Structures are given as C-alpha cells and as structure tokens.
Amino acid sequence: MLKNTEETEIDMPKIGPLPVRLRPSARATRLKLRIDPAFDGVEIVVPNGVSRKMAISMLHQHGDWVAAHMQRLPERVQFMPGAWIPFMGHDHAIRAVPDAKRGVWVEAGVIWVSGQPEHTNRRVTDFLKKQAKLEIAPRAHAYAEQINKKVNRISLKDTRTRWGSCSSSGNLSFSWRLVLAPEDVLDYVVAHEVAHLQELNHSARFWAVVDDLYGPSKKQQHWLKKHGAALHRYGAGSA
C-alpha cells in the first residue's frame, strides 16, 4: 500500500520518460489518472489498499490515452519580454523597460516591466499574485456580507487541482492563476468558495447559495473545465 506521495519518472511508449506523481488518498474509491500540466506529467490517485504495482500497471494500460493528452498540452509560455499572456481574460504582451522606475504596470494591453529583463519572470509572477489578491479579497468580503458571514483569512497559492477552498474556520484559499482567467470566471470561483462559509458541502442547499450570490454559473464552470488546465502552462511552474 502506498503511504506517501511519490514522484518518479517512468518510460512510456510513444512518450519516453514521463514524470509521474503517485498520490495516496483515503477518500478515493478507485484509481484515477490525471494529466498535470503544471509539471508536464501524470498524477495517479491511489486509494487505500491499492498497491504501487497496480497503479503503474493501470498507467501502462492507458498509455495511448496518456500519450494523446500529453500531446495536446499547450506550449509553455514563460513570463518573458515578447510573450503574450492572458490577464483578466484578455491577452497582454509583456514588454521590458529596463530604465523605468515603476515596477510592473498594465497599460493599453501591455504588461510593462521595469528592471533587468532576466528578472521579468519573477517580477511578473509577483505582480500577478498581487493583482489576484486585489481582485479576490474585496469580492470575497462583499459576497460574505450578503450571507451574513465573515471571512477569517484569505491566502493565495499555486494549487494544481483546486481553484479555491474553504475551511471550517472561515479561511479561504485561491489559486493566484485565477487572475489569468476571464473576470466572470474569477468572480464565480470567489462566490463558490464564499458559499461554503454557509454550506461546507456540495449539496443542493450549497448550489442554491451560489445561485443567490452569483447567479447561473454553468458557463463559468464549463470554461474552467475546458481552459483551466492551460492556465498552468504560464510562468515557471509552481510558485
């Protein structure tokens, strides 16, 4: 039985060396394969009682599926001068202005970056995290006020499988990459997590709260399912 998360590399036909993460889960009821665009590999969710050997065997059984989906991954785009990246759902060009003293700012569809070009990736990443907090925090507090709840703390992470989470103590966590998504998608995720302050589940009552806060959200949910993985292809990976 797998006790701890393991990261390894496995030779696969049609692919070659493939990064693989084996993640044990007490809640999972069956083996699950998931392409993880953040590290160009595959995550295998392993339930209790299932051996590592069985998990690797399933990976090989689904080799064609894995190869097909790995080939469909969008190209990685680093936050470097000349790159185009989405910001609040709209494409922006990154431009370096080494002699400027303004840090990083957005103007007319361009993300301008002061300082030496070799620091652009880090500077843009820091800027996006800051902007994500500025976009998310006021929305979270406003939505919470609508249902007479209080947000205890808001944190930003670079989560791979969840766009947001809510704890029983009222702490909210969000992926900073939501700032790359369209504004209505970011807004929906915030409303979704705030709704958990009242219903810490995904029952019909929970979705009724989401509907009251945000309104119909099928379009935003569909966008995340279709395009969400691509947001992990921007930047230098987890940060």
Side-chain angles (χ1 to χ4, degrees), residues 61-75:
Q61 290 171 21
H62 291 82
D64 289 343
W65 179 90
V66 172
H69 281 74
M70 289 298 295
Q71 289 170 3
R72 293 175 197 160
L73 283 178
E75 290 294 321

Side-chain angles (χ1 to χ4, degrees), residues 11 24 26 32 39 46 51 68 73-74 83 93 108 114 145 147 149 156-157 162 172 188 191 214 223 235:
D11 260 335
K32 295 180 183 178
F39 85 130
V46 186
S51 68
L73 283 178
S114 305
E145 187 175 347
I147 55 174
K149 297 291 182 179
L156 295 182
K157 300 179 180 179
R162 305 174 74 178
L172 302 180
Y188 155 69
Y214 183 79
W223 191 96

Side-chain angles (χ1 to χ4, degrees), residues 10-13 15 18 20-23 28-35 42-47 50-67:
I10 296 175
D11 260 335
M12 296 287 292
I15 301 176
L18 175 71
V20 175
R21 180 188 304 110
L22 297 151
R23 179 169 64 85
T29 57
R30 60 185 178 84
L31 284 165
K32 295 180 183 178
L33 280 178
R34 186 182 72 86
I35 303 297
V42 172
E43 179 178 81
I44 308 176
V45 179
V46 186
V50 176
S51 68
R52 181 184 189 278
K53 183 177 179 181
M54 289 176 63
I56 299 301
S57 176
M58 186 190 72
L59 174 66
H60 284 289
Q61 290 171 21
H62 291 82
D64 289 343
W65 179 90
V66 172

Side-chain angles (χ1 to χ4, degrees), residues 21-220:
R21 180 188 304 110
L22 297 151
R23 179 169 64 85
S25 172
R27 293 186 297 177
T29 57
R30 60 185 178 84
L31 284 165
K32 295 180 183 178
L33 280 178
R34 186 182 72 86
I35 303 297
D36 188 338
F39 85 130
D40 293 304
V42 172
E43 179 178 81
I44 308 176
V45 179
V46 186
N48 285 344
V50 176
S51 68
R52 181 184 189 278
K53 183 177 179 181
M54 289 176 63
I56 299 301
S57 176
M58 186 190 72
L59 174 66
H60 284 289
Q61 290 171 21
H62 291 82
D64 289 343
W65 179 90
V66 172
H69 281 74
M70 289 298 295
Q71 289 170 3
R72 293 175 197 160
L73 283 178
E75 290 294 321
R76 281 197 174 276
V77 178
Q78 300 299 324
F79 297 144
M80 299 300 291
W84 285 81
I85 68 168
F87 175 66
M88 296 300 287
H90 299 287
D91 286 341
H92 285 65
I94 297 177
R95 299 283 185 265
V97 278
D99 296 330
K101 304 296 182 183
R102 292 181 57 183
V104 181
W105 73 100
V106 176
E107 187 176 0
V110 176
I111 298 175
W112 299 95
V113 188
S114 305
Q116 296 304 308
E118 59 265 29
H119 301 306
T120 300
N121 195 77
R122 176 181 57 80
R123 289 176 183 270
V124 172
T125 301
D126 291 344
F127 168 78
L128 292 173
K129 290 179 178 179
K130 180 180 178 181
Q131 293 302 307
K133 189 69 172 284
L134 290 174
E135 292 289 341
I136 289 171
R139 297 169 197 261
H141 290 295
Y143 278 134
E145 187 175 347
Q146 290 183 41
I147 55 174
N148 296 314
K149 297 291 182 179
K150 286 190 176 181
V151 176
N152 183 33
R153 182 166 56 89
I154 296 174
S155 60
L156 295 182
K157 300 179 180 179
D158 196 5
T159 48
R160 290 176 168 133
T161 60
R162 305 174 74 178
W163 295 107
S165 63
C166 174
S167 72
S168 57
S169 57
N171 294 327
L172 302 180
S173 178
F174 298 92
S175 167
W176 64 261
R177 293 178 183 274
L178 285 169
V179 81
L180 304 175
E183 184 175 357
D184 64 316
V185 173
L186 177 148
D187 202 31
Y188 155 69
V189 174
V190 176
H192 181 114
E193 297 309 329
V194 169
H196 280 309
L197 294 173
Q198 185 162 311
E199 294 288 341
L200 200 58
N201 51 60
H202 284 102
S203 65
R205 293 190 306 274
F206 164 78
W207 287 108
V209 177
V210 175
D211 287 344
D212 287 343
L213 288 175
Y214 183 79
S217 58
K218 293 295 185 183
K219 175 185 173 184
Q220 290 71 29

